[in-house]
Amino acid sequence: MITELGHFALILAFLTAIVQMVVPLVGAHRRWSGWMAVAEPAAGMQFLLTAFAFGALTWAFVTSDFSLQLVAMNSHSAKPMLYKITGTWGNHEGSMLLWVLIVALFGALAAWFGGGLPPTLKARVLAVQAAIAVAFFAFILFTSNPFLRLAVPPFDGNDLNPLLQDPGLAFHPPFLYLGYVGLSMAFSFAVAALIEGRVDAAWGRWVRPWTLAAWMFLTVGIALGSWWAYYELGWGGFWFWDPVENASFMPWLLAAALLHSAIVVEKRESLKSWTMLLAILAFGFSLIGTFIVRSGLLTSVHAFANDPERGLFILIILAVFVGGALTLFAMRASALEARGVFAMVSRESAILANNVLLAVGCFVVFIGTLWPVIAEMAFGRKLSVGPPFFETAFTPFMVLIGLILPLGAMLPWKRGKLGRVARQLRPAAALAVALAALAWAMQTGRSALGAVGLLIGAWVVFGALTDLWVRTGRVGDRIGRLRRLPRADWGKAVAHMGLGVTIFAIAGLMAWETEDIRVVRIGESYDVGVYTLTLDGVKQVQGPNYVSTMGMVRLERDGRPVAMLHPEKRDYPVARMPTTEAAIDYRFLRDVYVVLGDIQNDGSWTMRTYIKPFANWIWGGAILMALGGLLSLTDRRFRVAAGARKVTPAGVPAE
């Protein structure tokens, strides 16, 4: 009964979204306040109905209702409760329902907290957001209905993909979708402003918090996915430039560019056309990511579906929304004339350079991701584009961004003096060079990658700290002023420091990693770096819904015990799929990473061991970046209605 009610609620949400799409848009065109007012209750009702439908599907998974086709295909009664719940979105249909739920959530938030928006703009924003929801409601109901029943329910289900039965990947999709779909709000604001033919500083203030929230969630989602790949897949890496990894990374790059260019619109009313284009393309690349994951166009361990019909539907959605928005953008070009002018040496120029580097970097990743398909279609050749291409082609852009970032953050608006900022950053540059020289001196016969990564990472971190310190002035209570700085300033500094930490960690890991692959007998010891590892034994362990072959590896340093590691090879009998579970001894400066391989004819085991310096710093840097976004988002100036004028009593100065 609950399942049928969920299906009915989904249909009602679809109809509500159609009303929300049409009525407020007509009302805004005709200036009919009553019609425009329909948008707010419709947005709230659409979200509540979609949430009920999603709750009904979740209940079916929790109670193991195998009469529902989706539950029978993606769950099992013996599965732990956490993975029964997360199994709701661990499949194509459920994940699309989560997608449209988040679309509705963002629309409802704009309705509830957008009281300061002009009525016509608010009505149009909510109408465009509803149009996106309508497209995906139609996609779900006509091609991917999660509420289909089975005439003869099975006794038990087929289980969830074992690779998805992990805490890291359980929470990865919701955060990733909050980022993906959050960019729909920036898109809706852009299209609504283009319809009105008005883009000004207030628009820049309204769109920034939505972009910032989307970028923050996307950062967390990508970091969770990278962490999962690191410890779950057993191949020892954190990023493989997989097509689906790239599909989430490209919108992140464009969202970062959009976030910075919106600042220029707000402060100087410049870069309007560029900012509009970024808002359209950022959401467009989110749709491209959805198409890649669900069309079967590219093969990936992350892919949800392999259905050309569904892929064609998403491609039509992409063409309609992005093509329509770009057409509107071309028609409204005259309304996007920049007002503020700026010199070559200014914060605006630095942000523009940052934007160009991020956008070109995104384009390089896009070409590398789709080139195998292009080569096969155009030239009839099967090609593979792997990590060496991306690392060679993409890294220079990140190096340039890292070099420019501290200078650009401290340059004044409109016109600045590079020499003055460079003098303020001398201590940061000296510290960065000293650390890089120390790293170069300590390493023996290795590449310059680690030292260069430390140089750039330290330059970005110390540059952000210098920026904070300079903002406190030259005299007086500088510590007190530091504490009273706006949260947005602290957020910017923390996010930039997080980027610096991540740049160094990636370079350090790639430069100084130690790898060892060998065959080991039970009781045999071997050395990797400064550590001694001993395979004490291998045993069979029964898990809740799997059977594990678990190794017992003793880790020692200089004869002193450090940890007992338990690498596993798990077999899921229902899903008929094995997985590899790496055993990792996490420490602040390094990880010891052990993988148990196959048994050999003589009873020995293949063992892979890695010493990974600064591995945890990669995700620590991502956490700092997300924390910086959160700090900025809590600044009182970063509200949806930040651009609204406040009515203050006579004699009381406005803020």
Side-chain angles (χ1 to χ4, degrees):
M1 180 64 179
I2 293 179
T3 300
E4 279 67 31
L5 288 175
H7 191 187
F8 184 61
L10 191 63
I11 296 171
L12 288 180
F14 177 41
L15 297 176
T16 304
I18 293 174
V19 173
Q20 183 185 334
M21 176 182 67
V22 176
V23 175
L25 205 59
V26 174
H29 180 69
R30 298 288 187 179
R31 296 296 193 273
W32 294 343
S33 58
W35 285 45
M36 288 189 288
V38 169
E40 291 186 34
M45 182 59 66
Q46 182 197 148
F47 169 67
L48 292 175
L49 289 168
T50 310
F52 181 85
F54 188 81
L57 185 62
T58 304
W59 179 254
F61 273 87
V62 168
T63 58
S64 297
D65 181 4
F66 297 119
S67 67
L68 205 64
Q69 178 177 299
L70 194 65
V71 179
M73 292 175 63
N74 296 280
S75 191
H76 190 272
S77 58
K79 193 167 62 174
M81 181 56 69
L82 172 64
Y83 304 128
K84 286 185 178 181
I85 296 172
T86 59
T88 308
W89 57 78
N91 54 81
H92 167 71
E93 291 83 358
S95 66
M96 288 311 306
L97 186 56
L98 176 63
W99 173 285
V100 81
L101 173 65
I102 296 174
V103 171
L105 171 63
F106 274 95
L109 289 174
W112 296 335
F113 301 107
L117 293 170
T120 54
L121 179 65
K122 184 176 182 180
R124 287 176 171 133
V125 167
L126 293 178
V128 175
Q129 189 73 4
I132 297 170
V134 166
F136 282 96
F137 277 127
F139 176 71
I140 291 172
L141 290 170
F142 298 135
T143 73
S144 308
N145 190 348
F147 294 107
L148 295 178
R149 290 282 195 182
L150 291 173
V152 182
F155 179 75
D156 218 327
N158 295 334
D159 206 359
L160 179 67
N161 185 336
L163 290 175
L164 305 182
Q165 296 186 41
D166 178 85
L169 209 65
F171 300 105
H172 162 67
F175 278 102
L176 201 64
Y177 285 9
L178 284 166
Y180 265 158
V181 182
L183 291 173
S184 67
M185 282 306 303
F187 177 86
S188 296
F189 268 95
V191 173
L194 288 172
I195 293 173
E196 288 206 347
R198 179 185 173 188
V199 181
D200 53 17
W203 180 88
R205 287 194 293 272
W206 289 322
V207 81
R208 278 180 67 195
W210 298 107
T211 306
L212 183 59
W215 178 86
M216 180 184 70
F217 285 123
L218 203 50
T219 301
V220 175
I222 292 172
L224 280 173
S226 172
W227 182 50
W228 166 81
Y230 174 69
Y231 70 79
E232 174 67 22
L233 297 183
W235 58 287
F238 63 93
W239 192 264
F240 194 66
W241 296 101
D242 176 273
V244 178
E245 291 175 338
N246 295 346
S248 63
F249 187 49
M250 290 184 288
W252 184 88
L253 292 170
L254 291 178
L258 172 60
L259 185 58
H260 289 82
S261 64
I263 299 173
V264 182
V265 175
E266 176 188 351
K267 301 291 185 182
R268 301 285 300 143
E269 293 206 33
S270 296
L271 304 184
K272 292 181 182 179
S273 297
W274 175 246
T275 304
M276 281 287 171
L277 187 60
L278 283 175
I280 295 168
L281 291 180
F283 180 61
F285 270 89
S286 294
L287 294 178
I288 289 172
T290 305
F291 171 71
I292 289 174
V293 174
R294 298 166 200 283
S295 64
L297 180 69
L298 295 169
T299 303
S300 168
V301 68
H302 305 78
F304 271 123
N306 186 5
D307 188 338
E309 181 183 347
R310 291 171 175 171
L312 179 60
F313 201 118
I314 295 174
L315 198 60
I316 292 171
I317 293 174
L318 172 66
V320 169
F321 282 95
V322 177
L326 290 175
T327 301
L328 188 59
F329 173 78
M331 293 170 60
R332 294 293 194 183
S334 60
L336 302 176
E337 183 179 353
R339 295 182 182 178
V341 294
F342 51 87
M344 282 294 294
V345 179
S346 62
R347 187 176 298 186
E348 294 96 325
S349 294
I351 289 176
L352 182 59
N354 160 291
N355 273 217
V356 171
L357 290 169
L358 287 169
V360 175
C362 175
F363 180 73
V364 167
V365 176
F366 178 68
I367 292 298
T369 303
L370 290 186
W371 186 250
V373 177
I374 296 171
E376 186 172 357
M377 293 176 61
F379 311 115
R381 299 178 59 190
K382 290 187 178 293
L383 298 176
S384 175
V385 179
F389 165 80
F390 291 103
E391 290 164 6
T392 302
F394 180 77
T395 301
F397 298 104
M398 293 308 297
V399 171
L400 289 174
I401 288 172
L403 292 174
I404 293 171
L405 195 58
L407 291 166
M410 294 181 62
L411 280 170
W413 294 104
K414 193 174 181 179
R415 183 180 294 106
K417 294 182 178 180
L418 192 59
R420 179 181 179 184
V421 175
R423 285 193 296 272
Q424 292 173 328
L425 284 167
R426 278 178 184 172
L431 283 170
V433 171
L435 286 173
L438 177 63
W440 178 262
M442 291 178 64
Q443 68 180 16
T444 56
R446 301 210 180 192
S447 71
L449 178 61
V452 172
L454 180 55
L455 172 67
I456 296 172
W459 165 245
V460 173
V461 170
F462 293 137
L465 292 173
T466 302
D467 185 21
L468 284 176
W469 187 248
V470 168
R471 287 176 181 274
T472 62
R474 296 184 179 180
V475 294
D477 182 15
R478 300 187 76 169
I479 300 298
R481 291 197 194 103
L482 199 62
R483 289 197 301 265
R484 292 191 295 271
L485 282 176
R487 291 183 184 178
D489 291 344
W490 277 102
K492 179 183 77 171
V494 171
H496 288 179
M497 285 190 284
L499 177 63
V501 170
T502 300
I503 288 173
F504 160 65
I506 292 173
L509 175 61
M510 295 176 67
W512 300 323
E513 178 183 53
T514 301
E515 179 180 0
D516 181 272
I517 303 175
R518 65 176 68 210
V519 174
V520 183
R521 295 179 180 273
I522 293 177
E524 183 180 350
S525 299
Y526 60 99
D527 294 328
V528 181
V530 298
Y531 296 97
T532 299
L533 296 95
T534 305
L535 180 60
D536 285 341
V538 178
K539 61 182 180 180
Q540 297 291 317
V541 177
Q542 180 65 52
N545 61 333
Y546 61 84
V547 177
S548 170
T549 301
M550 180 184 294
M552 292 167 285
V553 180
R554 184 162 25 99
L555 178 66
E556 298 174 317
R557 179 172 182 174
D558 299 328
R560 297 191 304 271
V562 176
M564 180 62 76
L565 302 177
H566 299 282
E568 299 180 62
K569 291 177 68 67
R570 293 179 180 176
D571 182 64
Y572 291 78
V574 176
R576 297 179 182 178
M577 181 176 177
T579 65
T580 299
E581 303 289 328
I584 306 174
D585 180 46
Y586 295 100
R587 298 298 166 101
F588 183 67
L589 295 177
R590 60 90 186 130
D591 287 351
V592 177
Y593 186 108
V594 180
V595 179
L596 181 68
D598 296 325
I599 189 171
Q600 306 300 304
N601 293 332
D602 60 357
S604 58
W605 294 82
T606 303
M607 300 285 294
R608 284 188 290 131
T609 307
Y610 303 87
I611 309 297
K612 295 181 171 291
F614 306 106
N616 287 317
W617 291 36
I618 297 173
W619 301 288
I623 291 171
L624 279 177
M625 284 190 276
L627 179 61
L630 182 61
L631 281 172
S632 294
L633 201 58
T634 58
D635 192 302
R636 62 186 178 86
R637 298 173 299 173
F638 284 75
R639 295 193 296 265
V640 175
R645 293 182 178 178
K646 295 183 178 180
V647 179
T648 55
V652 178
E655 293 183 358

